[in-house]
Amino acid sequence: MITIKEVAKYADVSVATVSRVINNKGYVQAETRQKVEEAIRLLNYRPNNVARSLFKKQSKMIGYIVPDITNPYFPQLVRAVEDVTVKAGFTTFLCNSDDDLQKEQMYLEKMLENHIDGVIIVSNNIEARHLENIHLPIVALDRVFHEKIPSVTIDNYDGARRAVMHLLENGCKKIAHLKGPEIIENSNLRKKAYEDVMEENKLPIIIGAGNYQFKDAEMTMKSLLELHPDIDGVFAGNDVMAVGVLKALNRMRIHVPEQIKLVGFDGIEWTETVSPEITTIAQPIYDMGKKAATMLMERINGQAVGEDHIVLETELKVRETTNNGKF
Amino acid sequence: MITIKEVAKYADVSVATVSRVINNKGYVQAETRQKVEEAIRLLNYRPNNVARSLFKKQSKMIGYIVPDITNPYFPQLVRAVEDVTVKAGFTTFLCNSDDDLQKEQMYLEKMLENHIDGVIIVSNNIEARHLENIHLPIVALDRVFHEKIPSVTIDNYDGARRAVMHLLENGCKKIAHLKGPEIIENSNLRKKAYEDVMEENKLPIIIGAGNYQFKDAEMTMKSLLELHPDIDGVFAGNDVMAVGVLKALNRMRIHVPEQIKLVGFDGIEWTETVSPEITTIAQPIYDMGKKAATMLMERINGQAVGEDHIVLETELKVRETTNNGKF
DNA sequence: CTGTTAGCGCTTTCAT
DNA sequence: ATGAAAGCGCTAACAG
């Protein structure tokens, strides 16, 4: 490994000068700069970012904790973050927490040890108190931890309301909801919205217990239909479950949307790969990641501080599972 | 940030002693150790891994370059790698290259600058010569770069042959193939296998140009059917395209598998979310990631060297798109 | 404009 | 068994 010292010797200048040219900082005569650049090229010198980090106490690395990259909601979110951070010269550590507080804390420790400059977290466990002695720019994504910690989210309650109302507007009277895990706050909000709309319209509440997983949703839908054969609409707590529901329906030769209409939530690609395509409340997933990353960068660079809480808009994407005409 | 010095002062010992206890190395009297541990706990000291890396010239970090985490083939591969590396105390840098050589090289540089200990690469551009002055343990995943660089792959040619033969065995006579991008070696191997089997059986070759993308596959399938309305089998170069093909077929009200049978390649989850479920040549994706990560760890720890080239087995998963009875 | 030098926090000889 | 001190590669005063 070539060091700055060797470059300095080769170029016959001091290490300070070499440092100046590689950082483009301070005065260096054009001629000297040339010499140094020449030496750098010839020796194939590469600055050692570890040494740099040690001195500067910042590493140009950020951490990113998500529950599970294997969940189709996350890849886009991850991609967006990387796209903006890499432009700003940062590299990204990816950590899968499985939504397990222990793992999350373990990763946070590691990041601290590695002098990470900031971190983006998607978590249902972390609360403000876990972050107390983490003196680091943090942005919460997809969930609010605390008013003091900036966040990027969507309005789950509002989105879910629109989903259920859309079913109503399409003539559904007996609408079932597949709820998500109770530890996930988003999923509770979506459920609450469903319940509220149904109550407001004096319609029966039918809830199936789901876990945001595909396979189970398929099963749950089947049992739900045995109990309530007259269901004519389903609001799935997320798209992954919506796909499971659709599969169950297809298998039972129940026509969608003619017999049962279906709406999901999230806007993942899966909703467009199946037939019929699934109507969903789409989150601006990529934009959320982008926004969170931008906010983090600003905080790291000291251009912004404080507790922004960005709430982005969801969009009802009307597709074939609620649209009789099209499929 | 608490440093080793402060701990030393607090415990009234030298930094050397503190270092000995945190690393569990060298002689420390039980009593002294207690004092130091006490101090560490009280001060909430955390060793600075940057300083450590600088000295040791290894960072306990590995890099991971994939084309695009958004492609449904990669999340599992990424997850597997993280699962094994984190157990060995490493953290993982994720990089999306978009299969762009420039980006790949940029990331490689960054990794070098950060004293990364090793790297796993999935790439169709990188060749041995690009890695010449990267003196770092490397494992190639999903593709072989050079005989000198260890790799984990599957036998694409063999898998594809089995796919086509499976269609043949199910009575298909007019089998079309949707090929992938020509720059992707895997895709060429799969195409070659298709061509060979068809020639051996004196059957016509019908190839549609795909790009491993979903939307385009849908279109391509439609035009292919206009030219050859009597196609009775399709071998898609990957599962993503297979899903596109299926969607086109569903839309055209062509019954699968009765009128046309379909086989994909990869074994991604998408093949199970759609109806009918898609028969595919499944790669052991998770195992591939795991194996690659294990090999990298071994090389970093000096437990293994040399040029292992692991070729894992694919598995024909017979599902509804080739099985008349089931759906 | 350029060089000298003192650290950044840690590990590791080398003494004691 | 413990401490003193050198040094990993780099940056930033400071001096000239």
Side-chain angles (χ1 to χ4, degrees):
Chain A
M1 175 121 245
I2 304 293
T3 70
I4 200 172
K5 224 163 161 179
E6 302 174 65
V7 176
K9 190 151 82 179
Y10 191 97
D12 201 28
V13 296
S14 74
V15 293
T17 304
V18 177
S19 177
R20 287 191 190 96
V21 350
I22 61 186
N23 292 296
N24 237 317
K25 214 180 210 173
Y27 302 99
V28 184
Q29 210 153 13
E31 216 178 314
T32 317
R33 155 164 282 126
Q34 288 242 320
K35 265 201 310 187
V36 173
E37 280 168 349
E38 181 76 4
I40 288 176
R41 201 166 336 105
L42 253 50
L43 297 177
N44 192 22
Y45 166 75
R46 221 182 290 293
N48 180 333
N49 195 45
V50 176
R52 216 176 236 176
S53 300
L54 180 59
F55 185 91
K56 305 243 252 170
K57 285 145 178 331
Q58 63 142 322
S59 59
K60 286 281 183 179
M61 305 190 297
I62 68 148
Y64 194 3
I65 300 181
V66 300
D68 182 6
I69 186 71
T70 269
N71 174 327
Y73 175 74
F74 293 112
Q76 269 198 75
L77 217 52
V78 168
R79 189 65 216 267
V81 168
E82 212 217 296
D83 285 352
V84 354
T85 54
V86 78
K87 264 192 206 131
F90 284 74
T91 35
T92 303
F93 256 54
L94 184 68
C95 306
N96 293 98
S97 70
D98 289 317
D99 237 321
D100 171 347
L101 183 59
Q102 285 222 318
K103 284 200 197 176
E104 286 162 351
Q105 289 181 311
M106 181 271 283
Y107 279 121
L108 242 18
E109 293 246 328
K110 280 216 165 183
M111 289 177 185
L112 252 22
E113 289 172 11
N114 281 292
H115 265 250
I116 275 273
D117 295 332
V119 50
I120 295 178
I121 309 180
V122 183
S123 163
N124 290 288
N125 311 297
I126 287 185
E127 293 166 26
R129 66 193 162 93
H130 299 120
L131 268 16
E132 265 163 12
N133 41 16
I134 313 275
H135 302 290
L136 208 59
I138 296 178
V139 175
L141 189 40
D142 192 40
R143 157 113 199 265
V144 179
F145 298 155
H146 188 273
E147 55 181 22
K148 292 276 183 205
I149 295 165
S151 66
V152 177
T153 52
I154 52 138
D155 188 337
N156 284 278
Y157 182 83
D158 172 71
R161 277 195 76 96
R162 286 161 67 202
V164 182
M165 307 229 289
H166 176 65
L167 286 168
L168 247 33
E169 285 160 11
N170 278 269
C172 297
K173 300 278 180 229
K174 202 86 189 261
I175 301 172
H177 173 57
L178 247 71
K179 70 171 184 183
E182 276 164 34
I183 33 146
I184 299 186
E185 192 51 29
N186 291 344
S187 117
N188 295 329
L189 289 168
R190 295 175 193 177
K191 188 183 98 190
K192 182 74 166 60
Y194 161 79
E195 289 169 342
D196 288 354
V197 175
M198 297 311 274
E199 273 169 27
E200 287 162 19
N201 288 274
K202 312 232 183 310
L203 288 170
I205 287 175
I206 305 170
I207 294 183
N211 56 0
Y212 274 0
Q213 301 297 309
F214 162 70
K215 288 259 183 223
D216 299 279
E218 207 179 329
M219 315 286 255
T220 307
M221 191 62 220
K222 275 183 194 159
S223 20
L224 224 46
L225 272 174
E226 278 168 26
L227 287 167
H228 308 277
D230 55 343
I231 286 171
D232 59 5
V234 176
F235 167 46
N238 74 350
D239 283 340
V240 170
M241 292 198 296
V243 170
V245 168
L246 181 64
K247 200 171 160 201
L249 264 20
N250 278 338
R251 264 167 184 41
M252 297 168 87
R253 304 260 177 233
I254 293 173
H255 289 283
V256 181
E258 293 82 358
Q259 293 172 265
I260 295 187
K261 295 186 184 13
L262 171 64
V263 180
F265 203 113
D266 283 349
I268 64 173
E269 210 177 353
W270 284 19
T271 51
E272 295 176 85
T273 59
V274 293
S275 306
E277 290 176 10
I278 299 174
T279 295
T280 190
I281 302 292
Q283 298 189 41
I285 305 181
Y286 190 87
D287 287 341
M288 290 170 70
K290 207 167 139 186
K291 185 69 195 169
T294 308
M295 282 170 62
L296 188 66
M297 294 292 100
E298 286 171 357
R299 255 145 265 256
I300 289 174
N301 299 330
Q303 298 155 358
V305 277
E307 45 252 22
D308 263 4
H309 292 277
I310 307 291
V311 180
L312 296 177
E313 295 288 314
T314 55
E315 186 190 349
L316 169 66
K317 300 233 181 191
V318 178
R319 295 205 276 243
E320 295 163 348
T321 57
T322 56
N323 188 338
N324 285 311
K326 272 239 185 103
F327 181 50
Chain B
M1 174 121 245
I2 304 293
T3 70
I4 200 172
K5 225 164 163 177
E6 303 174 63
V7 175
K9 190 151 81 180
Y10 191 96
D12 201 28
V13 295
S14 75
V15 294
T17 303
V18 178
S19 176
R20 287 193 190 95
V21 349
I22 61 185
N23 292 295
N24 238 316
K25 215 180 212 172
Y27 301 99
V28 185
Q29 210 150 14
E31 216 178 316
T32 320
R33 155 165 284 126
Q34 288 243 320
K35 264 199 312 188
V36 172
E37 280 168 349
E38 181 76 5
I40 288 177
R41 200 167 337 105
L42 255 50
L43 298 176
N44 192 24
Y45 166 73
R46 221 184 290 294
N48 180 332
N49 195 45
V50 177
R52 218 176 234 175
S53 299
L54 180 59
F55 186 91
K56 304 243 250 170
K57 285 148 181 326
Q58 64 143 317
S59 60
K60 286 278 183 183
M61 305 189 296
I62 67 148
Y64 194 2
I65 300 180
V66 301
D68 182 8
I69 187 68
T70 269
N71 175 327
Y73 176 76
F74 293 111
Q76 269 198 75
L77 216 52
V78 168
R79 188 64 215 265
V81 168
E82 211 216 296
D83 285 352
V84 354
T85 54
V86 78
K87 265 193 204 130
F90 284 74
T91 34
T92 304
F93 256 54
L94 183 68
C95 307
N96 294 98
S97 70
D98 290 316
D99 237 320
D100 170 348
L101 183 58
Q102 286 222 317
K103 284 200 196 178
E104 287 162 350
Q105 289 181 310
M106 182 269 284
Y107 279 121
L108 242 17
E109 293 247 327
K110 280 216 166 186
M111 289 178 184
L112 251 21
E113 289 173 10
N114 282 292
H115 264 250
I116 276 273
D117 294 332
V119 49
I120 296 179
I121 310 181
V122 183
S123 162
N124 290 288
N125 310 298
I126 287 185
E127 293 166 26
R129 67 194 161 93
H130 299 120
L131 268 17
E132 264 163 14
N133 42 15
I134 313 275
H135 302 291
L136 209 59
I138 296 177
V139 175
L141 188 40
D142 191 41
R143 157 114 200 263
V144 179
F145 299 155
H146 188 272
E147 56 181 22
K148 291 277 182 204
I149 295 164
S151 65
V152 176
T153 52
I154 53 141
D155 189 335
N156 284 277
Y157 182 83
D158 172 70
R161 278 195 75 97
R162 287 160 67 202
V164 182
M165 307 228 289
H166 177 64
L167 286 168
L168 247 32
E169 285 160 12
N170 278 269
C172 297
K173 300 278 179 226
K174 201 88 190 257
I175 301 172
H177 173 57
L178 246 70
K179 71 171 185 183
E182 275 164 35
I183 34 146
I184 299 186
E185 193 51 28
N186 291 342
S187 118
N188 295 329
L189 290 168
R190 296 175 193 176
K191 187 183 100 190
K192 182 74 166 62
Y194 160 79
E195 289 169 342
D196 287 354
V197 175
M198 297 310 274
E199 271 168 27
E200 287 162 19
N201 289 275
K202 312 232 184 309
L203 288 170
I205 288 175
I206 306 171
I207 293 183
N211 55 0
Y212 274 0
Q213 300 297 310
F214 162 70
K215 289 260 181 223
D216 299 279
E218 206 181 329
M219 314 287 254
T220 308
M221 190 62 219
K222 276 184 194 159
S223 22
L224 224 45
L225 272 174
E226 279 167 26
L227 286 168
H228 308 278
D230 55 343
I231 286 172
D232 59 5
V234 176
F235 167 46
N238 73 350
D239 282 340
V240 170
M241 291 198 296
V243 170
V245 167
L246 181 63
K247 199 171 161 202
L249 263 21
N250 278 337
R251 266 172 181 39
M252 297 169 87
R253 304 261 177 233
I254 293 173
H255 290 282
V256 181
E258 293 82 357
Q259 292 173 263
I260 294 186
K261 296 187 183 15
L262 171 64
V263 179
F265 202 116
D266 283 348
I268 64 173
E269 212 177 351
W270 285 19
T271 51
E272 295 176 84
T273 58
V274 294
S275 305
E277 289 177 10
I278 298 173
T279 296
T280 190
I281 302 292
Q283 298 189 40
I285 305 182
Y286 190 87
D287 287 340
M288 290 170 71
K290 207 167 138 186
K291 186 69 195 168
T294 308
M295 283 171 61
L296 188 65
M297 294 291 100
E298 286 170 358
R299 257 144 263 256
I300 288 174
N301 299 329
Q303 296 154 2
V305 277
E307 46 253 21
D308 263 4
H309 293 275
I310 308 291
V311 180
L312 295 176
E313 292 290 313
T314 55
E315 185 190 349
L316 170 66
K317 302 235 180 191
V318 178
R319 295 204 277 243
E320 295 163 347
T321 56
T322 56
N323 188 340
N324 285 311
K326 271 237 186 105
F327 182 50

